[in-house]
Amino acid sequence: MLKVAIQSQRHWAEEPACLLTGVNEALCGNTQNQFVTAAYIHLGMDRGQFSYAAAGHPPMLLLRAGEVSQIAENGLVLALLQSAVYTSTTEPLLNGDRLLLYTDGIIEATNVSGEEFGYERLGTLLQASGGKGTEGTADLILNAVNGWSCTQNDDLTFVVCDYNRNSDERISTPGLQAV
């Protein structure tokens, strides 16, 4: 049902808040009292920027010039309230940026003492990943979370996306690698 709802909103592909609003409207009353969290990012490589919106989802992390920041543009979970409002943030894409989208199963993974993996550990890992490619970063995160957690009670889903542009290239032909 979610895939169909997203597909029906593809005309809003470049407007994350509008896309999430449309998906929410399509899902409300049709999910048998279930809800959905979501994060949506549009990479406007022709303009050298990204737009991001979320619905009850953990903030996206941005690694830029060795520093990690949270991009938290969040609204209510999907399928809960017909009148939910979503907003987007638009930021520049700079050469060398690394974006990390992830589910709460990553930060809520607990160790034997019941301590959660947390935002700080994830941010530290992302910062330490600077010299690695996307696959190496994915392995670093997955190995750290699996080593931390004694059991897996939730999904461990994430996307690592690097924006690399050679100085010879125009902004309309950037390199993008995701895993």
Side-chain angles (χ1 to χ4, degrees):
M1 184 178 290
L2 182 60
K3 288 179 185 180
V4 171
I6 292 170
Q7 185 67 18
S8 74
Q9 300 302 312
R10 70 180 175 272
H11 57 280
W12 290 116
E14 294 185 22
E15 301 291 335
C18 294
L19 183 130
L20 289 180
T21 297
V23 169
N24 182 61
E25 290 170 358
L27 293 177
C28 276
N30 296 310
T31 60
Q32 300 169 346
N33 295 324
Q34 295 183 13
F35 63 88
V36 178
T37 69
Y40 183 83
I41 186 168
H42 177 265
L43 300 170
M45 306 221 268
D46 56 331
R47 293 182 304 266
Q49 65 186 32
F50 67 85
S51 296
Y52 173 78
H57 208 69
M60 180 175 72
L61 297 181
L62 169 64
L63 176 63
R64 176 176 285 163
E67 297 297 319
V68 175
S69 59
Q70 291 187 357
I71 308 294
E73 192 67 30
N74 220 342
L76 192 63
V77 295
L78 298 171
L80 193 61
L81 184 62
Q82 185 82 26
S83 61
V85 175
Y86 302 94
T87 57
S88 298
T89 186
T90 300
E91 305 258 344
L93 268 172
L94 302 180
N95 194 38
D97 280 355
R98 172 166 286 165
L99 306 170
L100 178 65
L101 293 119
Y102 54 96
T103 58
D104 61 359
I106 301 286
I107 54 174
E108 293 175 359
T110 57
N111 64 12
V112 293
S113 302
E115 183 181 0
E116 291 186 346
F117 192 77
Y119 293 106
E120 188 175 329
R121 279 184 191 81
L122 184 58
T124 299
L125 277 177
L126 185 61
Q127 193 169 29
S129 76
K132 299 180 181 303
T134 53
E135 288 184 30
T137 300
D139 289 342
L140 178 71
I141 292 168
L142 193 56
N143 290 336
V145 174
N146 283 333
W148 175 265
S149 183
C150 49
T151 62
Q152 184 177 338
N153 298 323
D154 201 351
D155 67 296
L156 302 178
T157 305
F158 58 94
V159 176
V160 179
C161 181
D162 284 350
Y163 178 76
N164 296 305
R165 186 172 67 96
N166 292 337
S167 58
D168 298 349
E169 292 180 292
R170 294 180 36 213
I171 193 76
S172 62
T173 58
L176 182 67
Q177 182 180 11
V179 69

